[in-house]
């Protein structure tokens, strides 16, 4: 018995000692780990704080430059590696890092920008981003650069007023991925607001849109919801073409040519909060649009976008667009008319409206064939609180279509087919149902205050067609002869006659070249009449002197 008890006792004590040792070891190990972790935090930021997030891209200074941006919680270098399919040939580009001044300890306040230059048009590029350590490398994303040749289709997603609480955001993002737009234009009021919660809402929004914004250029203009602290968050979190970064508060406007389109993006906020910059922006707009009008054969379409509309049919008479002397309209309409801006797109009002071609509050026509004034679109249909802006009466005879208070979140799809045909449509996010559409057919892009001038083409109608032809292949001799296009086949006889005549004249010239040359020589160097003429000239000059 005793020995049994003793054994048992010894057994228990042994177990207790063993447990004690194990426990101590575990505790000491744990505390060591905690200490180590603390040390590492002091010396080196954790991997999590260096992980790139909110990756988004935008067009650089031209359609073949791409700007890549992201954010991290801790400071790190900014590196992009990109290639066109062969990882071995990846090119590494180092960019800049900036710190956004917020008090949010957990915010991703280190912002990174890398610019890729001279990419090939219409080519798919793969890229990832990382910092100093390759352990921080992001997922791989890809984007496709816009095509530049005439005859290519260009399609864009367009909307304003999108925030983190937009109900159909997931549908919207899926639509963007399905359609593979060339770019997305978000015409102001971003995230509601980028700066809210010390930037937490901005961080959240940019993480939400990453799967789209990392794959297609996300182009923006500032709205009234971006104006906090002199547009601080907007200027740091985005980087737009032909602007330094962070974007200067007194220069939040830019333009870029993509294929046949000159996009001009401006800030309507100067008219409300930033009056010292009105003249600066208007001068820039005029200079930019004057230049665009000298290049209208290359970029026939001019599309202008700014946050606030100059025409609207909302009920609220306090809105600028409802006022008789709307600041936006009185500042911009005359300029856009005299510079021949084809389409003006805005947001701000949380509803949708399309106007007829309109000038000075009057529709100039009730269709879109050869418009004689700009057409206006307001697409604020994603709104912070959906479609909160009521519209019970149309604002004037210039209004062509209004959609408000239907509870259906929708977006715009802009397609430019060629120099003459542009298509605009609005679709519901949730089911892609068509809400509205129009074709603008404009064969005579020009300042609208100038009469339409026809300069007859010396080659006649046939030559006119040949010059206007959009098809690259159709610009060659084959098309002139009518060999490639069926349209021109009727004129084959005429063309053949012209060509044969030219050929015959050339052959005769070649055969008689000796005679012709000797005739010229005889006439001008040896024969009397020529000398006589010379003498007269001499005597004349002599008399004058
Ligand atoms: C009407 O518009 C003004 C100016 O934007 C705004 O401050 C006000 O809240 C609006 N009123 C309503 C009822 O939406
Ligand atoms: C431009 O595109 C439209 C729509 O696809 C087409 O009907 C039209 O023929 C095209 N014009 C030219 C000149 O190619």
């Amino acid at each position: 018995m005793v020995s049994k008890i003793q054994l048992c006792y010894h057994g228990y004590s042994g177990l207790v000692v063993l447990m004690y040792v194990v426990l101590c070891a575990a505790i000491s190990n744990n505390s060591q780990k905690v200490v180590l972790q603390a040390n590492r935090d002091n010396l080196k930021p954790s991997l999590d704080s260096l992980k790139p997030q909110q990756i988004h891209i935008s067009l650089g200074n031209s359609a073949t430059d791409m700007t890549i941006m992201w954010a991290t919680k801790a400071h790190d270098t900014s590196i992009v590696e990109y290639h066109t399919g062969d990882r071995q040939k990846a090119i590494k580009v180092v960019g800049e890092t900036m710190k956004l001044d917020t008090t949010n300890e957990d915010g991703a306040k280190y912002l990174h920008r890398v610019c890729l230059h001279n990419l090939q048009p219409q080519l798919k590029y793969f890229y990832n981003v990382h910092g100093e350590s390759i352990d921080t490398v992001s997922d791989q994303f890809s984007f496709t650069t816009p095509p530049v040749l005439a005859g290519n289709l260009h399609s864009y997603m367009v909307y304003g007023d999108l925030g983190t609480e937009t109900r159909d955001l997931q549908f919207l993002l899926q639509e963007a991925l399905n359609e593979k737009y060339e770019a997305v234009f978000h015409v102001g009021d971003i995230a509601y607001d980028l700066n809210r919660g010390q930037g937490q809402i901005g961080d959240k929004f940019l993480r939400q849109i990453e799967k789209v914004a990392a794959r297609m250029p996300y182009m923006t203009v500032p709205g009234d919801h971006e104006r906090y602290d002199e547009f601080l968050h907007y200027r740091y979190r985005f980087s737009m073409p032909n602007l330094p970064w962070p974007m200067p508060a007194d220069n939040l406007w830019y333009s870029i040519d993509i294929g046949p389109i000159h996009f001009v993006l401006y800030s309507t906020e100067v008219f409300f909060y930033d009056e010292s910059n009105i003249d600066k922006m208007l001068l820039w707009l005029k200079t930019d649009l004057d230049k665009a009008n000298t290049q209208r054969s290359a970029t026939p379409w001019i599309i202008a976008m700014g946050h606030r509309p100059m025409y609207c049919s909302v009920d609220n008479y306090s809105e600028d667009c409802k006022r008789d002397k709307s600041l936006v309209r009185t500042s911009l309409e005359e300029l856009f008319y005299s510079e021949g801006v084809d389409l003006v797109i805005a947001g701000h009002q949380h509803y949708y409206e399309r106007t007829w071609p309109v000038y000075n509050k009057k529709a100039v026509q009730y269709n879109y064939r050869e418009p004689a004034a700009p057409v206006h679109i307001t697409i604020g249909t994603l709104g912070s609180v959906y479609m909160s802006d009521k519209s019970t009466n149309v604002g004037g005879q210039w209004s062509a279509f209004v959609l408000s208070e239907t509870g259906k979140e929708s977006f715009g799809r802009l397609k430019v087919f060629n120099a003459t045909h542009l298509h605009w449509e609005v679709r519901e996010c949730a089911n892609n149902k068509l809400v509205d559409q129009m074709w603008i057919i404009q064969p005579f892009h020009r300042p609208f205050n100038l009469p339409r001038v026809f300069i007859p083409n010396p080659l006649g109608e046939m030559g006119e067609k040949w010059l206007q032809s959009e098809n690259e292949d159709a610009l060659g001799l084959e098309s002139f002869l009518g060999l490639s296009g069926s349209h021109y086949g009727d004129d084959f006889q005429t063309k053949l006659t012209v060509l044969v005549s030219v050929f015959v004249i050339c052959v005769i010239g070649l055969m008689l070249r000796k005679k012709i040359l000797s005739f010229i020589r005889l006439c001008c160097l040896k024969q009397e009449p020529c000398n006589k003429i010379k003498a007269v000239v001499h005597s004349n000059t002599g008399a004058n002197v």
Side-chain angles (χ1 to χ4, degrees), residues 133-345:
S133 157
I134 195 70
D135 294 340
T136 61
V137 70
S138 71
D139 289 345
Q140 176 173 276
F141 295 97
S142 67
F143 60 80
T144 302
T145 46
V148 292
L149 296 177
N152 280 309
L153 172 71
H154 298 265
S155 74
Y156 307 95
M157 184 182 241
V158 187
Y159 51 75
D161 310 81
L162 174 65
T164 53
E165 280 156 37
T166 294
R167 198 189 52 216
D168 288 342
L169 183 63
Q170 288 312 309
F171 293 116
L172 185 78
L173 297 176
Q174 198 48 51
E175 154 69 19
L177 293 176
N178 292 347
E179 273 291 307
K180 296 190 174 65
Y181 292 98
E182 212 168 273
V184 175
F185 286 93
H186 184 159
V187 290
D189 280 9
I190 305 165
Y192 291 100
D193 300 346
L194 290 170
N195 60 279
R196 218 171 89 211
Q198 295 296 336
Q200 280 175 54
I201 295 295
D203 288 351
K204 181 180 173 189
F205 178 77
L206 283 160
R207 280 195 294 268
Q208 281 179 323
I209 64 164
E210 183 187 70
K211 62 178 174 184
V212 166
R215 292 180 169 91
M216 53 197 83
Y218 201 82
M219 311 305 289
T220 54
V221 295
D224 47 316
H225 281 269
E226 276 69 72
R227 77 173 201 269
Y228 170 80
D229 203 0
E230 298 235 295
F231 301 92
L232 179 77
H233 283 251
Y234 177 70
R235 296 192 297 111
Y236 275 76
R237 290 174 187 267
F238 294 97
S239 169
M240 290 298 127
N242 300 302
L243 293 176
W245 179 68
M247 294 186 282
D250 63 350
N251 194 157
L252 296 173
W253 38 88
Y254 60 94
S255 65
I256 187 163
D257 291 344
I258 312 180
I261 314 152
H262 180 72
F263 283 104
V264 53
L265 294 102
Y266 51 95
S267 167
T268 50
E269 301 320 292
V270 293
F271 303 119
F272 301 90
Y273 310 112
D274 194 15
E275 281 156 26
S276 61
N277 282 315
I278 294 178
D279 290 344
K280 186 177 174 187
M281 190 181 78
L282 291 180
L283 180 66
W284 176 84
L285 270 174
K286 170 130 182 54
T287 314
D288 182 80
L289 290 170
D290 278 350
K291 183 161 170 246
N293 268 296
T294 66
Q295 296 166 350
R296 224 120 186 206
S297 53
T299 48
W301 294 99
I302 299 182
I303 299 178
M305 298 190 200
H307 180 58
R308 296 176 195 239
M310 56 180 95
Y311 285 99
C312 69
S313 295
V314 296
D315 289 353
N316 185 345
Y317 276 87
S318 307
E319 296 290 357
D320 178 68
C321 48
K322 282 294 275 193
R323 284 160 50 189
D324 202 35
K325 293 256 179 293
S326 146
L327 288 175
V328 180
R329 195 172 60 75
T330 52
S331 309
L332 295 176
E333 183 173 40
E334 192 60 44
L335 179 68
F336 285 179
Y337 182 77
S338 62
E339 298 283 0
V341 171
D342 297 288
L343 185 61
V344 183
I345 304 180

Side-chain angles (χ1 to χ4, degrees), residues 151 153 416-422 439 441 468-471 487:
L153 172 71
V416 173
F417 284 79
N418 49 44
T420 52
H421 285 63
L422 177 153
W439 277 101
I441 300 172
Q468 279 188 2
S469 158
E470 287 293 323
N471 189 340
H487 314 306

Side-chain angles (χ1 to χ4, degrees), residues 377-389:
I377 296 286
T378 304
I379 179 91
T381 40
L382 298 165
S384 64
V385 183
Y386 176 71
M387 284 223 183
S388 49
D389 286 335

